[in-house]
Amino acid sequence: MRTKEGNKEQDILEAAIKIFAESGYHNAKIHKIAELAGVATGSVYVYYENKEMILLTIFAKLWDKLFLELKEIAESKDIDAVEKFDMMIDLLFDTFIQDPALAIVFVNEQNYLLQKSPEKFTLYYEKFLDLGEAIVNEGISNGVFNTKIDVKMIRSFIFGGMRLLLHQWANNPDSVSLHHIRQNVKYFCKKGLLN
Amino acid sequence: MRTKEGNKEQDILEAAIKIFAESGYHNAKIHKIAELAGVATGSVYVYYENKEMILLTIFAKLWDKLFLELKEIAESKDIDAVEKFDMMIDLLFDTFIQDPALAIVFVNEQNYLLQKSPEKFTLYYEKFLDLGEAIVNEGISNGVFNTKIDVKMIRSFIFGGMRLLLHQWANNPDSVSLHHIRQNVKYFCKKGLLN
Amino acid sequence: MRTKEGNKEQDILEAAIKIFAESGYHNAKIHKIAELAGVATGSVYVYYENKEMILLTIFAKLWDKLFLELKEIAESKDIDAVEKFDMMIDLLFDTFIQDPALAIVFVNEQNYLLQKSPEKFTLYYEKFLDLGEAIVNEGISNGVFNTKIDVKMIRSFIFGGMRLLLHQWANNPDSVSLHHIRQNVKYFCKKGLLN
Amino acid sequence: MRTKEGNKEQDILEAAIKIFAESGYHNAKIHKIAELAGVATGSVYVYYENKEMILLTIFAKLWDKLFLELKEIAESKDIDAVEKFDMMIDLLFDTFIQDPALAIVFVNEQNYLLQKSPEKFTLYYEKFLDLGEAIVNEGISNGVFNTKIDVKMIRSFIFGGMRLLLHQWANNPDSVSLHHIRQNVKYFCKKGLLN
DNA sequence: GATGAATGAGTGTTCATTCAT
DNA sequence: TATGAATGAACACTCATTCAT
């Protein structure tokens, strides 16, 4: 039989990220993804049920990775809540710094997926946000973060703020230093959160 | 007095906001917009060059309105910077509270437009953000806001955070009180900004 | 507005009959039908929901016409059952003699439709067969047709026999005289039916 | 002894009959046939050149079998023509009673093959019909069947009639007794044929 | 301006067939 | 022989846009 040489499944996913980032999900053509991945058009459908499943897989893998890494941070015993918060911000920035195209797809298409197939999707990302919430709650319990804020709300606020900054950076990586963005976000958020 | 034609132009725009909110820009059908507006499909093209121009017009009007209202706030002599900041937050929330469908379109499609036709679009929205920046800078000059933050960055951060909260609210208006969101945002941001 | 000139709906149907007859329903291409009808591909879908609906419409019109004409025959007071039977045979032959392509489509695709969408289809054709059955029953009541046969069965038998003969004729109209076929069918069936 | 390979060839054929009966030839998927046969998709092509050859093989085997059995009947010295006719009808009914799926394929796809590849196909089935014709001619020579009918025509008529009845039965075997169908067909045909 | 029938380029998806192993 | 991953040509159907009236 003709066997997989290399990893077509992964090649297709990476090609899709690039094409989705360039043209947006709705204007991306399957045959362009196949071309970039170096496979035949039909092969895309050997690995993915349809176009939407490609997008869903991109997000599932992203959120899974983020969740697992944040989990390790959140469960560390010898790190205080403030530092954990810092590390969470770093985790997000570091993830996208390594793959700006992924950052663009993430920023542009997350809402679409959320509206189109919430049932397949919400889980992945709620789990991540829940961990972030836990970190802030830990800080509140320890008396370092103040009690006046609604954590569920602020976690979304911070997430949304970072998303937009990432978007601006991913579309024009040379105009701002990601390090600078990161410092500002940390400073601003911690000032808002600390007692 | 608005002529009959003027009404159609507006009817189409309002219908488009609803349809775009429901289905997303890319899945919205022109004939559905025409139907909802009570005009023939072809009439849409009497008033708008093409589909994208409808979306662009929605955003242009929105940002224009926001800009003009924020300008009035920013230019008031007898209001201090902190209060101006509060009023800016209120302006955004009040605008979208009156038209949740508009809020959804705004949140979901802003990025698309920004990427697709930045030349036609960026102006509108930069002008608004510039005013917001000016308010914060005023606070810094007056010594009430701290100097450690990069205002350009934080204006985007705050904007992105509010956008996501609005999105969650617009999709499920009953789950959270907009008043509650607003209080939290104000509290968190001012704590982050104040000296 | 661009109005229908001529009768595109009918043109498409006639083109479809020809293309279906030539290539069979499954190998017929919509764009070939459009081409033959002298319209754009998309126009086919202005008049017909999809490919299957074209086929269904062909059959619906055919059976409707046959039913109405047979009804007139069946209800005539001054014609005896044997003559009505003759006229029924003539009706079928005359219909297809006028449109051999229709005969081919009818013979080749009736089974497919019957299996694929019986709910939309059976009605039309059952009504025709019921009338044929009534004619034979009338002959039985009058004592001219014999009582040993199951009319429901024989009506299908005769129908199937005629269908195959029509098929052979439609595919090769010059090889046999339809008049000859008709005489034989009438002779054979009446001999089988008469007391 | 059948080799393993021989079994696969047969397994595929039997699976194809079932799948063709269920979905129709054009909607049948090769991979479904392979699955049902318990072989890999590619193996189908080890035994059959292509999809059409599978169908052709089904018919070739069927007509071959029918031909051989009818030949034995036709050549019997001590059976008269009328009885031979009866036996021919029985042969057809008995064949399909044993394999209703085959009956469905036979009825639905015979026309398609006839049109698509007459050169590869007509032979098989003409030979069978010729034998049937010979039986009727024998009856005519012997003076038991009447001379007014065109035998070539009536053989098709009878064949077409039986085909439709078989189709109705195969699709709904419980609604009618095949025995009953058979009696009616024999009675009707012989009455039509006899002097 | 207003209409809506007509257009036709465009694309996601299917699936018979191939072929390296 | 046997496999099943890989292929890519093919096509039904969509829909933004046009334009004759």
Side-chain angles (χ1 to χ4, degrees):
Chain A
M1 66 176 184
R2 274 192 272 184
T3 11
K4 293 190 249 191
E5 315 141 20
N7 192 338
K8 287 192 172 32
E9 190 170 351
Q10 184 62 25
D11 290 349
I12 292 167
L13 213 62
E14 282 166 17
I17 291 172
K18 281 190 191 115
I19 301 287
F20 287 166
E22 269 171 35
S23 326
Y25 173 75
H26 287 95
N27 286 111
K29 317 299 174 203
I30 293 289
H31 80 97
K32 284 281 172 197
I33 293 174
E35 193 180 58
L36 186 58
V39 302
T41 305
S43 301
V44 172
Y45 291 85
V46 172
Y47 296 99
Y48 300 94
E49 208 183 317
N50 54 35
K51 196 179 171 185
E52 193 181 308
M53 278 304 297
I54 304 176
L55 187 59
L56 203 57
T57 305
I58 291 170
F59 274 89
K61 288 196 168 185
L62 171 61
W63 283 117
D64 242 32
K65 172 186 172 298
L66 289 174
F67 171 75
L68 289 174
E69 301 200 14
L70 185 56
K71 202 178 170 206
E72 217 164 309
I73 294 168
E75 289 171 351
S76 290
K77 298 284 176 193
D78 41 308
I79 308 178
D80 71 26
V82 179
E83 203 173 338
K84 281 179 180 173
F85 185 86
D86 264 19
M87 288 170 84
M88 179 174 70
I89 306 288
D90 283 334
L91 169 60
L92 284 164
F93 280 114
D94 288 341
T95 301
F96 292 116
I97 227 174
Q98 281 159 34
D99 194 345
L102 179 61
I104 292 179
V105 175
F106 159 65
V107 168
N108 284 334
E109 316 299 349
Q110 162 112 356
N111 282 353
Y112 167 71
L113 258 192
L114 216 45
Q115 236 170 356
K116 183 75 184 309
S117 311
E119 73 291 352
K120 296 180 200 147
F121 182 60
T122 313
L123 262 182
Y124 298 110
Y125 128 88
E126 286 286 339
K127 276 166 63 187
F128 179 86
L129 288 187
D130 285 347
L131 275 183
E133 196 180 327
I135 289 175
V136 175
N137 279 330
E138 184 188 329
I140 292 174
S141 302
N142 297 349
V144 288
F145 286 163
N146 82 70
T147 56
K148 292 209 177 127
I149 53 160
D150 178 330
V151 179
K152 271 204 159 26
M153 200 136 295
I154 289 311
R155 76 171 193 189
S156 290
F157 182 83
I158 294 173
F159 182 65
M162 287 185 63
R163 196 169 73 168
L164 198 148
L165 288 173
L166 271 167
H167 185 236
Q168 292 178 343
W169 167 78
N171 274 300
N172 202 352
D174 300 326
S175 70
V176 265
S177 134
L178 207 54
H179 175 75
H180 186 207
I181 297 178
R182 193 190 296 223
Q183 296 313 317
N184 271 274
V185 169
K186 285 182 187 172
Y187 177 82
F188 181 77
C189 289
K190 283 191 290 187
K191 200 154 175 310
L193 288 171
L194 287 170
N195 248 333
Chain B
M1 187 195 99
R2 261 191 191 157
T3 61
K4 199 184 176 190
E5 290 78 31
N7 282 322
K8 282 195 180 163
E9 190 172 348
Q10 184 61 24
D11 290 349
I12 292 167
L13 213 63
E14 282 166 16
I17 290 171
K18 279 189 192 117
I19 300 287
F20 288 165
E22 268 171 36
S23 325
Y25 173 74
H26 288 95
N27 286 111
K29 319 294 175 209
I30 293 289
H31 84 98
K32 285 281 173 195
I33 293 173
E35 193 182 60
L36 186 60
V39 302
T41 305
S43 302
V44 172
Y45 290 85
V46 172
Y47 297 100
Y48 300 94
E49 204 184 320
N50 55 34
K51 197 180 174 186
E52 194 181 305
M53 280 305 297
I54 304 177
L55 187 60
L56 202 57
T57 305
I58 292 170
F59 275 90
K61 288 197 169 185
L62 170 62
W63 284 117
D64 243 32
K65 173 186 172 297
L66 288 173
F67 171 76
L68 289 174
E69 301 200 16
L70 186 56
K71 201 178 171 203
E72 218 164 307
I73 293 168
E75 290 172 350
S76 290
K77 300 285 177 192
D78 41 311
I79 309 178
D80 72 27
V82 179
E83 203 173 336
K84 281 178 181 174
F85 185 86
D86 264 19
M87 290 170 81
M88 180 176 69
I89 305 288
D90 283 335
L91 170 60
L92 283 164
F93 279 114
D94 288 342
T95 300
F96 292 116
I97 225 173
Q98 282 160 33
D99 194 344
L102 180 60
I104 291 178
V105 175
F106 160 65
V107 168
N108 284 332
E109 316 299 349
Q110 163 112 357
N111 283 352
Y112 167 71
L113 259 193
L114 217 45
Q115 232 170 0
K116 184 75 185 306
S117 313
E119 72 293 351
K120 296 178 197 149
F121 181 60
T122 313
L123 265 183
Y124 298 110
Y125 129 87
E126 286 287 339
K127 276 165 64 188
F128 179 86
L129 288 187
D130 285 347
L131 276 181
E133 195 180 325
I135 289 176
V136 176
N137 278 330
E138 185 187 329
I140 291 175
S141 302
N142 298 349
V144 287
F145 286 163
N146 81 71
T147 55
K148 291 213 178 123
I149 52 160
D150 177 330
V151 180
K152 273 204 157 25
M153 201 138 293
I154 289 311
R155 77 173 193 188
S156 290
F157 183 83
I158 294 174
F159 181 64
M162 287 186 63
R163 196 171 72 170
L164 198 150
L165 288 172
L166 271 167
H167 185 237
Q168 293 178 345
W169 167 78
N171 274 301
N172 202 353
D174 301 325
S175 69
V176 265
S177 134
L178 207 55
H179 176 76
H180 185 204
I181 297 178
R182 194 188 296 223
Q183 297 312 316
N184 270 274
V185 169
K186 285 181 186 172
Y187 177 82
F188 181 77
C189 290
K190 284 192 291 188
K191 198 150 175 311
L193 289 171
L194 287 169
N195 251 330
Chain C
M1 69 174 183
R2 276 192 270 184
T3 12
K4 294 189 251 194
E5 314 140 20
N7 191 337
K8 287 193 174 27
E9 189 171 351
Q10 185 60 26
D11 291 348
I12 291 167
L13 213 63
E14 283 166 18
I17 291 172
K18 280 189 192 115
I19 300 287
F20 287 166
E22 268 171 35
S23 328
Y25 173 74
H26 287 94
N27 286 112
K29 317 296 174 205
I30 294 289
H31 80 99
K32 284 281 171 197
I33 293 174
E35 193 181 59
L36 186 59
V39 301
T41 305
S43 300
V44 172
Y45 292 86
V46 172
Y47 296 99
Y48 301 93
E49 209 183 317
N50 53 36
K51 197 179 171 186
E52 193 181 308
M53 278 306 295
I54 303 176
L55 187 60
L56 202 57
T57 305
I58 292 171
F59 274 90
K61 288 197 168 183
L62 171 62
W63 283 117
D64 241 32
K65 173 187 172 295
L66 289 173
F67 172 75
L68 288 175
E69 301 199 16
L70 185 56
K71 200 177 172 206
E72 217 164 309
I73 294 169
E75 289 171 352
S76 289
K77 299 285 176 193
D78 40 309
I79 308 179
D80 70 26
V82 179
E83 203 173 338
K84 281 179 181 174
F85 185 86
D86 264 19
M87 289 170 83
M88 179 176 70
I89 306 289
D90 283 334
L91 170 60
L92 283 165
F93 279 114
D94 288 341
T95 300
F96 293 114
I97 227 173
Q98 282 158 34
D99 193 346
L102 179 60
I104 292 178
V105 175
F106 159 66
V107 168
N108 284 332
E109 316 299 349
Q110 163 111 356
N111 283 352
Y112 167 71
L113 259 192
L114 217 44
Q115 236 169 358
K116 182 77 186 305
S117 311
E119 74 291 351
K120 297 179 198 147
F121 182 59
T122 312
L123 263 183
Y124 298 110
Y125 130 86
E126 287 287 339
K127 276 167 62 187
F128 179 86
L129 287 186
D130 285 346
L131 275 183
E133 195 180 327
I135 289 175
V136 176
N137 279 329
E138 184 187 329
I140 291 174
S141 302
N142 298 350
V144 287
F145 286 162
N146 82 70
T147 56
K148 293 212 176 124
I149 53 159
D150 178 331
V151 179
K152 271 203 159 24
M153 200 136 294
I154 289 311
R155 79 172 192 187
S156 290
F157 183 83
I158 294 174
F159 182 64
M162 286 186 64
R163 197 170 71 169
L164 198 149
L165 288 173
L166 271 168
H167 185 236
Q168 292 178 344
W169 167 79
N171 273 302
N172 202 353
D174 300 325
S175 70
V176 265
S177 135
L178 205 56
H179 175 76
H180 186 204
I181 297 177
R182 192 190 297 225
Q183 295 314 316
N184 270 275
V185 169
K186 286 182 185 172
Y187 176 82
F188 181 77
C189 290
K190 284 192 292 187
K191 198 150 176 309
L193 288 171
L194 286 169
N195 249 333
Chain D
M1 189 194 100
R2 261 190 191 157
T3 61
K4 200 183 177 190
E5 290 78 33
N7 282 324
K8 280 194 182 166
E9 189 172 350
Q10 185 60 25
D11 290 349
I12 292 166
L13 213 63
E14 282 166 19
I17 291 172
K18 278 186 194 121
I19 300 287
F20 288 165
E22 269 171 35
S23 325
Y25 172 73
H26 287 93
N27 285 111
K29 318 298 175 206
I30 294 288
H31 83 99
K32 284 280 173 197
I33 294 174
E35 192 181 60
L36 186 59
V39 302
T41 306
S43 302
V44 172
Y45 289 85
V46 172
Y47 296 99
Y48 300 93
E49 203 183 322
N50 54 35
K51 195 180 174 185
E52 194 180 307
M53 279 305 297
I54 304 176
L55 187 61
L56 203 57
T57 305
I58 292 170
F59 275 91
K61 288 197 168 184
L62 170 62
W63 284 116
D64 243 32
K65 171 186 173 295
L66 288 173
F67 171 74
L68 288 175
E69 301 200 16
L70 186 56
K71 200 177 171 204
E72 218 164 309
I73 294 168
E75 290 171 350
S76 290
K77 299 288 176 192
D78 41 309
I79 308 178
D80 71 27
V82 178
E83 201 172 338
K84 282 178 181 173
F85 185 86
D86 263 21
M87 289 170 82
M88 179 174 70
I89 306 288
D90 283 335
L91 170 60
L92 283 165
F93 279 115
D94 288 341
T95 299
F96 292 114
I97 223 172
Q98 282 160 33
D99 193 345
L102 179 60
I104 292 178
V105 175
F106 160 65
V107 167
N108 283 333
E109 315 300 350
Q110 161 113 356
N111 283 352
Y112 167 71
L113 259 193
L114 217 44
Q115 235 170 358
K116 184 75 185 308
S117 311
E119 72 292 352
K120 297 180 200 149
F121 181 60
T122 314
L123 265 183
Y124 298 109
Y125 129 89
E126 285 288 338
K127 275 166 64 187
F128 179 86
L129 287 187
D130 286 346
L131 276 182
E133 196 180 327
I135 290 176
V136 176
N137 279 331
E138 184 188 330
I140 292 175
S141 302
N142 298 349
V144 288
F145 285 163
N146 82 70
T147 56
K148 291 209 178 128
I149 52 160
D150 177 333
V151 181
K152 271 204 157 25
M153 201 136 293
I154 289 310
R155 78 173 193 187
S156 291
F157 183 83
I158 294 174
F159 182 64
M162 287 186 62
R163 196 170 72 169
L164 198 149
L165 288 173
L166 270 168
H167 186 236
Q168 292 178 344
W169 167 79
N171 274 301
N172 202 353
D174 300 327
S175 70
V176 265
S177 134
L178 206 55
H179 176 76
H180 186 207
I181 297 178
R182 193 190 296 224
Q183 296 312 317
N184 270 274
V185 169
K186 285 182 186 171
Y187 177 82
F188 181 77
C189 289
K190 284 191 292 187
K191 199 152 176 310
L193 288 171
L194 288 170
N195 250 332

